[in-house]
Structures are given as C-alpha cells and as structure tokens.
Amino acid sequence: MEPQALYKTIYKIAKVVNSSLEPKVVLGQIVEQVATTMNAKGCFIRLLNRTGEILKPDAYYGLSQRYAQKGPVEVAKSKLDQEALAGNAVYIADVRTDPRFQYPQQASEEGLVSIVVVPLTAQGNKVIGVLRVYAGETRSFTEEELEFLSCIANLCGIALENARMFHALKRASELANDYIYQVFED
C-alpha cells in the first residue's frame, strides 16, 4: 500500500473528526475510509460496554448486517480481544481455524480469512474498544499499515472523547439553566 494513500486517508479522517460531534456519523465514515484505503473486505469498530465485559458493535463497513449482529463479543471468551484490550495490535492469518477467534463459523460464512485488531484508546492510554480490519484472503499487514491503524484508532478515541465532553457540557448547561429558571420563577 502506498504511503501517500495512507496519509491522504489520515487527513480525510482528521477532517471528519473535526467536523462532527456525532459518534455514529464520525465512526461510520472512518470504517468506510479504512476499508476502502486498505482494500479490505471490511472494517469494524467495537466499544466496551460500561462493565468492560462486552464489546458492542458501533460502526462497520463491508460486512453483512447478519455478521455484525451475530452475537455479543464477550471479552472473557475472546483471546483475540483480550490481547488487543491489553494494548497490543493482534494479527490472525486465518480466523476460521485460530482458537483466539470467538466466531469462526460465522467468519467462514462471511468469507473472512485474515484479521488485524488494534486497541482504540481515549483519555490518554485508556483502552475503550477495538478497531478490526478483515481481509477475504490470507493477507499480512505491513508495519506501516499497523501504524496507520493505530493512528486511526487514536483519532477515533479523540472523536469519542470530544463527543462525550460536548454532551456532558451541554447537559450541565441545561441543568444549570433549569435551576436558574426554577429559583427565579419561584
């Protein structure tokens, strides 16, 4: 993959992150850009639930809805995601046969073969989810591609943190306005 294409995609994604505070919109555009740029079968972003036990689907591109909704990704049952959530990029040459992958049958039916997973971080180094890229054939990923994906995962974290802070400030402002209204109207 050409380094220039990766840099152009980083630029496009940075513009997307800077243009919206709606996580669904931003993450949806990111997974599409990543899958297209990497010539991959699909891309998926999963975020941890509040308990940190389940990775919930948040945005995906290039995969069927049936695959996206195949079932919960339980961290305790997914060695792949345990490794990624520990802060490591993880590569699997064939998800159909690797015991670290939780849904090999569904992956086979979807036509997935290789996968790379990188941790998605926010607030410094706090891992809040994973970014997965799927290939429909046996494929390896270069060091440059792994760095690209780590950069994109960090941009996802920035987008999510910006949205969280915006909505928290908006809610605090609404509560303050309600309080002022009640105090001065009573």
Side-chain angles (χ1 to χ4, degrees):
M1 182 172 301
E2 293 293 321
Q4 191 174 11
L6 299 179
Y7 294 126
K8 282 184 178 180
T9 302
I10 290 171
Y11 175 72
K12 288 178 187 173
I13 289 174
K15 285 177 67 174
V16 168
V17 168
N18 201 27
S19 69
S20 176
L21 291 170
E22 291 301 324
K24 290 283 184 198
V25 171
V26 173
L27 298 182
Q29 291 185 28
I30 288 173
V31 291
E32 181 179 353
Q33 288 286 329
V34 168
T36 302
T37 300
M38 295 191 72
N39 221 3
K41 181 160 178 64
C43 183
F44 212 133
I45 292 175
R46 290 184 174 274
L47 300 177
L48 283 170
N49 69 353
R50 290 188 188 276
T51 65
E53 296 171 350
I54 305 283
L55 281 164
K56 298 172 59 177
D58 205 79
Y60 61 94
Y61 178 81
L63 304 167
S64 70
Q65 186 172 7
R66 181 178 53 112
Y67 184 76
Q69 304 297 325
K70 65 187 175 306
V73 174
E74 298 176 47
V75 175
K77 293 181 179 177
S78 175
K79 299 284 186 214
L80 165 70
D81 291 307
Q82 290 173 20
E83 290 179 46
L85 293 171
N88 304 311
V90 184
Y91 164 72
I92 294 179
D94 192 338
V95 295
R96 300 168 298 182
T97 58
D98 193 298
R100 295 177 291 175
F101 198 75
Q102 189 178 351
Y103 292 100
Q105 178 65 34
Q106 290 82 355
S108 179
E109 292 169 4
E110 186 73 9
L112 306 176
V113 180
S114 295
I115 185 173
V116 64
V117 183
V118 295
L120 201 155
T121 58
Q123 301 173 333
N125 290 327
K126 182 179 177 185
V127 180
I128 61 170
V130 295
L131 172 72
R132 296 174 168 202
V133 175
Y134 300 90
E137 68 285 337
T138 302
R139 174 181 172 177
S140 61
F141 295 89
T142 66
E143 191 63 36
E144 198 166 58
E145 289 173 323
L146 293 177
E147 288 176 4
F148 165 76
L149 291 174
S150 291
C151 178
I152 299 304
N154 283 318
L155 287 172
C156 291
I158 290 169
L160 292 168
E161 188 61 16
N162 285 346
R164 186 191 66 76
M165 287 191 302
F166 171 76
H167 291 292
L169 285 172
K170 183 178 174 187
R171 180 72 182 133
S173 175
E174 290 169 353
L175 290 172
N177 287 338
D178 288 347
Y179 175 75
I180 290 169
Y181 179 75
Q182 285 179 345
V183 168
F184 292 108
E185 291 296 321
D186 289 338

